[in-house]
Amino acid sequence: MRRDPFGFTRLYYTAEDHASTVRALLRSDRRLDAIAIEAHLLGRLDNSRTCFAAVRAVPPGHELVDDGTGGAASGPAAQRRAVRPYQARVGAADLASSLRAAIARIVDAAPRPLAVALSGGLDSAIVLALVRELAPAVTPLVLVPQIADYNETDAAHETARVAGAAATVIEVSAVEFGRAVPSAIAAFETPLYNLHPVSKWLLADAARTRGFASVISGDGADQVFTRDVSADYLPLASAAFAAAGLGLFTPFLDDDVVACVLALPPDPEKRALREVGATLPIPPTLVRDRKISRLAPPMSLGIPAAKLRDLATLVRHELPASPGVRWETLALLVDSFQAWP
């Protein structure tokens, strides 16, 4: 069993089994993994672990094999299994042609009705323009959190206008955003350092409510062009749509597209992608300007102080004066898995 090079797919294992979710493997032993928890609280991501000692994660770009050696992992979950890296395929090709072919495969195979997740950025604009070459009636979905400095409504509308499409806007209040966090954490099966992935859960839920079966997104472009294998976002996007029962399709993670980009030097500015964008009906500013990364602004989830103190005792870690989202989402994760002692 292989996990893709950038971690969009999820793959977890124990000594006896493997699955795409932690919940499918976790039995009565719900002890927290002290190393993983410490890494989370200190801002370090260990993509070989989950927050539960009984279940390990296969890192991006690795495969899980049964060979009786224990392999790269250690502990009970590695007694009969090895986790080893594999070499991702690299092949020079024309990026525009590779993207068009990937999108054609998606449009052909994805269950209908089909939508495109549209933000205000380059990646989703390119996806929308290319999808519309094959499916002009496709619906762009724009999630608009009503949170100061945390939406790209104007840019998304401009992208849709230039592409000749009418966007469906999904407005979410700050209160609704906060209320969605526990369900999102249950789907993600991991705590967060920033609440931005909750937007993906809200988009998936809204797409399901509106009757869509599949969504195509620009997810993965940043990771592939920068070689980011941290898996701190892509598997959460995957988990959000899986929880909603929808397909999430990402042409930038198509095998042929990945092989094409890996043949290029790492490129945080995505120059090759901007060249593709310059040939498409997208706003020129997206091709010209640097990307502005947007994270969710800090917000309190209202977790009772007593529960956070209990959590600090459970993880044997000093509770800071201002616990923040790392502590609050960890408490929600423990709630979700009923892992309190």
Side-chain angles (χ1 to χ4, degrees):
M1 295 287 295
R2 286 186 169 186
R3 191 177 185 194
D4 68 276
F6 296 95
F8 178 75
T9 56
R10 296 166 293 151
L11 182 56
Y12 306 104
Y13 68 101
T14 64
E16 297 81 20
D17 205 356
H18 63 268
S20 61
T21 67
V22 173
R23 210 172 296 271
L25 298 172
L26 203 60
R27 305 293 184 254
S28 59
D29 181 3
R30 304 201 170 193
R31 290 172 300 156
L32 299 181
D33 184 320
I35 295 175
I37 298 299
E38 181 78 2
H40 165 71
L41 293 176
L42 295 179
R44 301 192 299 263
L45 182 69
D46 186 341
N47 59 24
S48 69
R49 294 178 179 271
T50 73
C51 286
F52 300 94
V55 181
R56 291 289 180 86
V58 176
H62 285 67
E63 59 185 357
L64 179 66
V65 296
D66 292 312
D67 68 356
T69 66
S74 60
Q79 289 173 1
R80 299 202 323 252
R81 302 204 153 188
V83 175
R84 64 191 184 195
Y86 67 87
Q87 182 61 52
R89 180 167 61 88
V90 177
D94 177 68
L95 180 57
S97 298
S98 296
L99 278 170
R100 279 189 167 89
I103 287 174
R105 288 190 288 271
I106 291 171
V107 170
D108 182 60
R112 298 299 200 272
L114 178 67
V116 171
L118 183 63
S119 67
L122 174 70
D123 309 334
S124 66
I126 287 176
V127 168
L128 176 62
L130 293 176
V131 171
R132 279 180 49 81
E133 292 180 355
L134 300 172
V138 70
T139 302
L141 295 180
V142 181
L143 185 78
V144 181
Q146 299 296 307
I147 300 172
D149 300 321
Y150 185 56
N151 72 65
E152 299 174 294
T153 311
D154 293 342
H157 275 301
E158 177 63 7
T159 295
R161 184 193 68 77
V162 172
T168 295
V169 175
I170 302 157
E171 293 188 348
V172 177
S173 71
V175 171
E176 291 170 323
F177 190 98
R179 286 176 179 166
V181 176
S183 296
I185 294 300
F188 298 155
E189 301 184 322
T190 187
L192 303 176
Y193 64 83
N194 181 271
L195 294 177
H196 176 63
V198 176
S199 292
K200 214 67 175 182
W201 189 93
L202 285 161
L203 179 65
D205 185 64
R208 177 190 56 79
T209 300
R210 285 161 175 75
F212 290 100
S214 306
V215 174
I216 307 178
S217 83
D219 292 320
D222 290 338
Q223 289 78 7
V224 177
F225 277 92
T226 62
R227 311 297 195 264
D228 176 7
V229 297
S230 63
D232 68 339
Y233 174 73
L234 289 179
L236 307 186
S238 174
F241 277 81
L246 273 66
L248 178 62
F249 296 88
T250 57
F252 290 109
L253 298 175
D254 176 86
D255 288 345
D256 289 346
V257 174
V258 169
C260 172
V261 177
L262 291 183
L264 304 171
D267 183 12
E269 297 299 322
K270 297 186 287 193
R271 287 181 287 269
L273 190 57
R274 292 176 188 277
E275 291 176 6
V276 174
T279 69
L280 298 172
I282 67 174
T285 54
L286 296 182
V287 176
R288 182 182 66 241
D289 296 345
R290 288 176 60 92
K291 176 179 178 176
I292 300 175
S293 297
R294 283 184 170 87
L295 293 177
M299 63 181 73
S300 172
L301 301 178
I303 305 297
K307 176 170 284 190
L308 294 178
R309 289 193 295 270
D310 288 345
L311 178 62
T313 299
L314 177 63
V315 301
R316 299 180 182 180
H317 204 287
E318 184 178 354
L319 184 69
S322 300
V325 70
R326 291 185 187 274
W327 282 88
E328 291 190 308
T329 56
L330 180 58
L332 292 173
L333 181 72
V334 174
D335 275 351
S336 172
F337 279 89
Q338 299 180 336
W340 297 99

